[in-house]
Amino acid sequence: MIRTLSIWRRYFHNLRSRIHGEDIICGPLTSQELTDTNIQVIRAIQAECCADDIRRLKGKQKLSNTSRIKDLCPYMDELDILRVGGRIENAQISSSQKHPAILPNKHTFSKLIADRVHRETCYGGPQLMFYTIRQEYWPLRGLDVAKAARRRCVKCFRCHPQPMQQIMGNLPPYRQRFTRAFDKVGVDLCGYFLIKTPLKRNASVKMYVTVFVCMITHAIHLELVTDLSTNAFLAAFRRFIARRGRPSDVYCDNAKNFVGAQKQLEEIRQVLSTQTSQEIIAKHAANATVNFNFIPPRSAHFGGMWESSVKSFNRHFYRIVGNTPMTQESMLTVLAEIEMCLNSRPLSPISSSPEDLAALTPGHFITGAPLNALPQHDITTLPENRLDKWQRNQQIVQHFWRRFRIEVFSQLQQRRKWQHEQSDLKVNDLVVILEDNVPPLSWILGRIIDVHPGRDGHVRVAKVKHTNWNLHKSHHSFGSSSR
């Protein structure tokens, strides 16, 4: 802006010089021309924004109590520029640093200065920008000016983006049903873990752990798998069903082995249902079909239940095992012990009163009923002397669920993060797609072509078109993925 105005000032100067027969100025702009233009601009800005203060200073009057610059002891210099008075007159620094020119913080000129300093300091932070600007200018609320310049910088935003975080959604319906443990299951894989093989000396193979977590009671089941394949996952899933019963719904991410397992289970169900010679088996399989539900890609927070379970397992595993080489037998033993510890953790805060009952744990719900148990009548209010042995056991189980509703379920009401509503993404919005293990400046840009509002009307899943659209079409969710 200063250079443009300097060119215009030279142009008008040369017009006047030709009229009066004087020499014109040619060549590149000089530093003196740029300095004179800068002085004229500052003088015009101060005359516009600090007119009352300038009038009082020129009239030798006291500044008003509402003046924003009265604490700066301002004065007018010989060029009629309003400068900071201050107390460092005797400091051995430059005159402009001792008495910087006062500028309003919301003026465009102040923003342009902050943007220039931001680039000259190699995209430095607000404190560095603030110090550099103070060498020559004194913008009111200068730190806010520096912070605003950093927020406007596209490169700084792409290096330190703030992911879009909509207000935390309500609990899904399947987490608010009081059914048996492992009826609604979340699944995830973690690892790899190096396991010693008995076939070769000092040879190890990679194995993984499948984490099954009950979406209602937080109970956990661990299974060891030999590789990340569909067959290995199906084998672990069959072992889980054999021990915990068949779940009605399974929730997991979009890993390829999970998608393949869902397809294979669907193929098995279709084959059984089309064989007329096995009509009874087909009918039973159709009634007992397990529903696989997949969360949107790039949305780990949609599966926070099993992600936190994986984190808990890793914390116990690495503290117990460390770098100790493991055989498959010792690995299975460690998994069983960790599963016992995780299923013994309290679901509600532990009271310090000795009269309170023991803490409710996921283990209370795992063996509370047989795998084919039918719904029972509420007998929690009946006296013990009227119950037989089986009814007494059922009463204990129902007491567990009653405590679960009172002690645990009420805690789920709170939103511990993402507590404020944000503006929803809209179609045609331009976003930056967060990529793991990729430098921020290499993150690709995308255009939202469709949105999927939740039950509360807020958008947490969007369909984004980007440069690799023809190679990989997917949905994206945010909270930690895109802005």
Side-chain angles (χ1 to χ4, degrees):
M1 187 191 74
I2 295 297
R3 294 186 64 86
T4 301
L5 292 177
S6 298
I7 293 174
W8 280 103
R9 294 182 72 241
R10 174 185 285 189
Y11 172 73
F12 291 121
H13 175 272
N14 289 340
L15 286 180
R16 290 191 297 267
S17 298
R18 286 179 178 177
I19 293 174
H20 297 89
E22 300 175 356
D23 295 335
I24 62 175
I25 303 176
C26 300
L29 294 173
T30 62
S31 60
Q32 185 61 41
E33 289 179 296
L34 296 175
T35 302
D36 293 341
T37 303
N38 193 49
I39 292 174
Q40 294 291 336
V41 171
I42 295 175
R43 189 183 300 160
I45 293 173
Q46 291 179 346
E48 176 186 354
C49 301
C50 304
D52 183 67
D53 296 322
I54 293 176
R55 179 180 58 80
R56 289 175 178 269
L57 288 174
K58 288 184 176 181
K60 307 298 182 179
Q61 299 177 7
K62 184 180 178 180
L63 296 181
S64 66
N65 293 330
T66 59
S67 175
R68 295 196 300 167
I69 63 174
K70 62 183 181 64
D71 296 335
L72 301 178
C73 300
Y75 74 97
M76 302 293 297
D77 67 357
E78 64 277 2
L79 298 176
D80 288 338
I81 292 180
L82 192 61
R83 295 186 178 273
V84 177
R87 305 170 57 194
I88 55 174
E89 177 65 33
N90 298 322
Q92 296 181 355
I93 54 179
S94 63
S95 177
S96 61
Q97 188 174 356
K98 287 189 293 185
H99 305 291
I102 299 175
L103 293 175
N105 58 311
K106 295 184 179 181
H107 199 278
T108 304
F109 186 70
S110 302
K111 298 178 181 178
L112 293 176
I113 290 176
D115 292 340
R116 185 200 67 186
V117 171
H118 186 52
R119 294 190 297 270
E120 290 179 351
T121 57
C122 299
Y123 302 94
Q127 292 290 347
L128 177 59
M129 295 167 56
F130 183 46
Y131 171 78
T132 307
I133 294 174
R134 283 279 182 91
Q135 303 297 312
E136 188 174 358
Y137 305 100
W138 190 285
L140 302 177
R141 303 185 65 176
L143 190 58
D144 293 341
V145 175
K147 291 179 179 179
R150 188 181 185 185
R151 287 194 297 266
R152 288 193 301 270
C153 180
V154 176
K155 288 188 177 180
C156 288
F157 169 77
R158 297 199 63 175
C159 289
H160 303 281
Q162 295 295 325
M164 189 71 178
Q165 293 180 345
Q166 187 53 269
I167 185 173
M168 182 179 291
N170 298 327
L171 285 177
Y174 59 83
R175 288 194 60 187
Q176 305 180 54
R177 296 175 181 173
F178 304 117
T179 61
R180 67 172 179 85
F182 296 108
D183 183 58
K184 313 292 183 180
V185 178
V187 186
D188 200 5
L189 281 166
C190 61
Y192 61 90
F193 306 99
L194 292 177
I195 306 300
K196 294 174 61 177
T197 175
L199 300 179
K200 295 182 180 180
R201 186 178 181 181
N202 296 329
S204 300
V205 295
K206 294 180 181 179
M207 292 190 182
Y208 304 82
V209 173
T210 306
V211 179
F212 298 89
V213 55
C214 176
M215 303 298 289
I216 302 173
T217 65
H218 298 208
I220 290 177
H221 180 89
L222 304 176
E223 286 289 345
L224 186 67
V225 294
T226 56
D227 55 52
L228 285 179
S229 64
T230 299
N231 291 332
F233 170 73
L234 283 175
F237 188 61
R238 291 178 60 185
R239 294 194 298 270
F240 165 76
I241 292 178
R243 295 176 182 175
R244 304 299 187 187
R246 178 180 285 105
S248 61
D249 292 277
V250 177
Y251 300 88
C252 53
D253 58 20
N254 275 270
K256 291 182 178 180
N257 50 334
F258 290 150
V259 175
Q262 190 269 348
K263 291 179 180 178
Q264 185 166 343
L265 288 175
E266 182 67 18
E267 292 174 358
I268 294 174
R269 189 190 68 82
Q270 291 178 357
V271 169
L272 293 177
S273 62
T274 55
Q275 293 180 356
T276 55
S277 61
Q278 298 182 354
E279 183 178 356
I280 298 177
I281 299 178
K283 182 178 180 180
H284 176 77
N287 293 333
T289 299
V290 178
N291 298 318
F292 271 74
N293 304 274
F294 302 107
I295 63 175
R298 305 169 184 264
S299 57
H301 57 286
F302 273 59
M305 180 74 75
W306 55 82
E307 295 292 347
S308 61
S309 300
V310 170
K311 180 180 179 181
S312 300
F313 164 75
N314 286 330
R315 181 173 64 251
H316 284 281
F317 180 82
Y318 288 110
R319 291 181 180 180
I320 295 173
V321 177
N323 297 324
T324 304
M326 301 282 292
T327 63
Q328 186 169 354
E329 182 179 357
S330 59
M331 182 67 176
L332 292 174
T333 304
V334 170
L335 291 183
E337 292 179 349
I338 295 177
E339 180 181 310
M340 176 196 64
C341 294
L342 294 178
N343 288 330
S344 300
R345 68 193 191 280
L347 293 175
S348 58
I350 301 176
S351 173
S352 58
S353 174
E355 298 179 358
D356 288 345
L357 299 174
L360 195 63
T361 67
H364 286 83
F365 301 93
I366 295 179
T367 58
L371 298 181
N372 57 351
L374 298 175
Q376 301 290 329
H377 296 289
D378 186 7
I379 55 177
T380 55
T381 59
L382 295 180
E384 296 182 10
N385 56 4
R386 292 180 54 189
L387 302 176
D388 57 23
K389 184 176 181 180
W390 170 251
Q391 288 178 328
R392 174 56 182 159
N393 293 334
Q394 291 302 309
Q395 187 184 54
I396 294 175
V397 173
Q398 292 179 5
H399 275 299
F400 289 158
W401 282 112
R402 182 173 179 271
R403 290 186 57 196
F404 180 83
R405 288 193 294 268
I406 296 175
E407 301 176 15
V408 181
F409 195 68
S410 60
Q411 299 179 33
L412 303 178
Q413 178 71 12
Q414 300 179 5
R415 289 182 170 93
R416 302 187 183 277
K417 58 179 181 178
W418 307 337
Q419 299 172 346
H420 304 287
E421 294 186 359
Q422 305 289 338
S423 58
D424 289 315
L425 293 176
K426 305 178 186 63
V427 177
N428 294 327
D429 280 356
L430 186 67
V431 297
V432 179
I433 303 175
L434 187 149
E435 298 279 356
D436 295 332
N437 303 320
V438 177
L441 291 180
S442 299
W443 292 347
I444 60 177
L445 297 176
R447 182 77 65 178
I448 294 180
I449 61 176
D450 194 12
V451 294
H452 302 274
R455 292 184 178 89
D456 57 357
H458 288 297
V459 176
R460 298 181 181 86
V461 180
K463 194 172 186 179
V464 182
K465 184 175 183 179
H466 46 79
T467 54
N468 299 328
W469 174 254
N470 294 326
L471 299 178
H472 178 69
K473 298 183 179 180
S474 64
H475 290 67
H476 299 270
S477 71
F478 53 92
S480 59
S481 58
S482 66
R483 175 163 183 176

